[in-house]
Amino acid sequence: MAARLAPKTVLAHLIQRRNQTYSEIVAEFVELGGTITERHLRRLASGERAGTTPQTRRTLQRMFGKPVEELLAPYVPEQAAPHHAGGQMVPVAATGGRITTGNEMEVLDMAASRARAFALAAQSGLGSEAMEQVYDDVRHVAKAYPQRPLPEILGQLVETQDLVFALLESRQRPEHLRQLYFLGGVTGGLLAKASHDLGNPHAALTQARTAFLCADNADHHGLRAWVRGLQSLVSYWAGNPHDSVRYAQLGAGYAEQANSTTSVWLPVSEARAWAALGNPEATRAALERAEDAWDNVQNDDLDDMGGLCTFGRNRQLYYAADALAWLPGEGEQAERYSRQAVDAYSDQNHPEWAFGDAAGSHAAMAISRIATGELDGAADAIAPVLDLPTERRINGVVHSARRVHQALRQSGRADDARELQEEIETFTRTPMQTLNR
């Protein structure tokens, strides 16, 4: 029998001591409620990769009884072996062959995750069923993104991108490469949005550039336009409205060829960047182009992903309200659009509902009411935003609240709104923190 390779990390040593294959470890990992690919696990054990999601860190610690920092440290032979029972580690959440999570739906999700991992690993090249599974994984995250707190889905999103990249790095049938590059572009775009939401525009634009490269390899005009829209969004909230205009305009040609909902998103994104620059004429012209674009919209396969991958009328109302709130002479229009946007986002069961856009709509309404001297009305408008839990205080939401604070300062009635300003200051001091990796 060939000698085993010397383990490079404590994790690799513990896996060897358990006398299990990596696929068996992955199966147990899934049973404990985590999600990890065999490739990711091998890279962690070999010391090639140290980044882990909070979910992965918790599950590894439960499986091996050590903090992740210790598990990923270089292995020193003198280290004591972990506690065993009968020579084999006892799973924390499984006794007598029965998972004791107390939540049947979680058990079903674990089983589905394990089935997915097996189906993909069992094939040397992707078949139609496996490709459909990868599509379904990406579609699920895209739909969940606008509606669920980022900490709940970031781990799944990172794992999904890792899976898509791993498939691209392995030998695939030519007919599947374009589809995988398309999915790589989508996951990269979603991670660009995640990086932005966590207040890291540099990482966001890095992800977006890779996503655009994938869109080029997929030769997908709608995806190219969508990535340009994300770059415009990141630049807008990073305080770079000129870059925001430039990215929106760079994507316009692709959007025109795609005729997807990106042909609405790009001009309305351009509109609010022009508004931030104080250009009412360019703002109104861009808003008109966005409205006219609906006449030719035909959903493409990116739109069919749903969620963050498509742009509906509710988001158009919010973007228009957000744009007009910048312009002193557009108070009446800003109030009308913001009221429509708030109403549109009042139903949390609506497929287009998104907590970030709902919050932005309330902030735009508050700003429009401050402009007309309705301080009590502004306080009522911003109240639902200030009630958001920390895990939903993403970058755009915090910046929207700061714009309300700025509007109060510039209104000439700051003393009358001191209590509201203090509430906003408290809110913005506790944004969603960057997750531990």
Side-chain angles (χ1 to χ4, degrees), residues 14-334:
L14 296 181
I15 291 173
Q16 285 187 5
R17 288 291 300 267
R18 294 179 68 170
N19 198 29
Q20 289 176 287
T21 66
Y22 278 85
S23 61
E24 289 171 338
I25 295 291
V26 167
E28 185 176 324
F29 192 97
V30 171
E31 287 182 345
L32 292 174
T35 302
I36 196 169
T37 62
E38 184 174 334
R39 175 175 178 268
H40 188 183
L41 180 62
R42 287 184 179 277
R43 292 174 68 186
L44 289 174
S46 67
E48 295 178 14
R49 180 169 179 172
T52 57
T53 65
Q55 179 193 56
T56 299
R57 296 168 71 88
R58 290 193 298 269
T59 307
L60 285 173
Q61 184 165 335
R62 291 177 67 191
M63 289 181 70
F64 296 100
K66 293 179 180 291
V68 170
E69 291 76 13
E70 185 175 341
L71 290 172
L72 301 185
Y75 172 64
V76 180
E78 290 75 20
Q79 286 180 287
H83 174 71
H84 288 68
Q88 186 170 351
M89 189 79 75
V90 178
V92 176
T95 57
R98 186 162 62 98
I99 299 174
T100 58
T101 62
N103 187 323
E104 289 78 6
M105 293 306 295
E106 287 185 8
V107 174
L108 291 176
D109 286 342
M110 294 175 199
S113 180
R114 175 59 180 137
R116 160 189 166 277
F118 173 79
L120 294 174
Q123 304 181 59
S124 57
L126 280 178
S128 58
E129 291 294 325
M131 179 59 75
E132 184 178 340
Q133 179 63 62
V134 181
Y135 261 95
D136 190 57
D137 289 344
V138 178
R139 187 183 300 111
H140 175 75
V141 181
K143 287 183 176 180
Y145 194 110
Q147 300 187 346
R148 292 173 55 188
L150 183 55
E152 292 183 9
I153 62 172
L154 183 58
Q156 183 182 0
L157 177 54
V158 171
E159 292 287 348
T160 302
Q161 185 193 54
D162 191 56
L163 169 64
V164 172
F165 283 176
L167 292 171
L168 280 168
E169 290 167 355
S170 61
R171 182 173 297 179
Q172 299 295 338
R173 299 169 186 170
E175 63 268 25
H176 288 153
L177 280 176
R178 182 177 180 275
Q179 294 171 295
L180 286 171
Y181 274 118
F182 169 77
L183 295 175
V186 174
T187 55
L190 294 174
L191 276 167
K193 179 63 162 61
S195 300
H196 155 69
D197 285 340
L198 288 168
N200 190 339
H202 174 74
L205 292 175
T206 298
Q207 287 282 358
R209 292 185 193 102
T210 301
F212 193 85
L213 174 65
C214 289
D216 267 345
N217 286 330
D219 194 22
H220 196 290
H221 292 312
L223 185 56
R224 290 183 178 111
W226 182 71
V227 175
R228 291 303 190 208
L230 288 168
Q231 291 171 313
S232 179
L233 178 151
V234 171
S235 299
Y236 172 74
W237 289 112
N240 301 313
H242 286 289
D243 284 344
S244 183
V245 169
R246 179 172 62 87
Y247 281 123
Q249 292 177 343
L250 283 172
Y254 300 123
E256 184 177 347
Q257 294 179 75
N259 282 330
S260 63
T261 61
T262 58
S263 61
V264 180
W265 186 25
L266 288 168
V268 80
S269 297
E270 183 183 340
R272 65 179 188 174
W274 281 123
L277 289 167
N279 190 328
E281 294 80 11
T283 300
R284 285 191 289 267
L287 289 175
E288 289 175 9
R289 291 201 308 275
E291 184 60 36
D292 292 343
W294 283 115
D295 294 337
N296 298 313
V297 166
Q298 295 179 342
N299 284 10
D300 63 1
D301 50 349
L302 179 62
D303 284 312
D304 290 341
M305 287 278 180
L308 202 64
C309 292
T310 190
F311 191 85
R313 285 194 175 271
N314 289 1
R315 288 178 73 192
Q316 182 189 8
L317 290 171
Y318 155 54
Y319 273 57
D322 191 40
L324 294 169
W326 283 99
L327 304 173
E330 298 290 344
E332 184 176 337
Q333 283 282 77

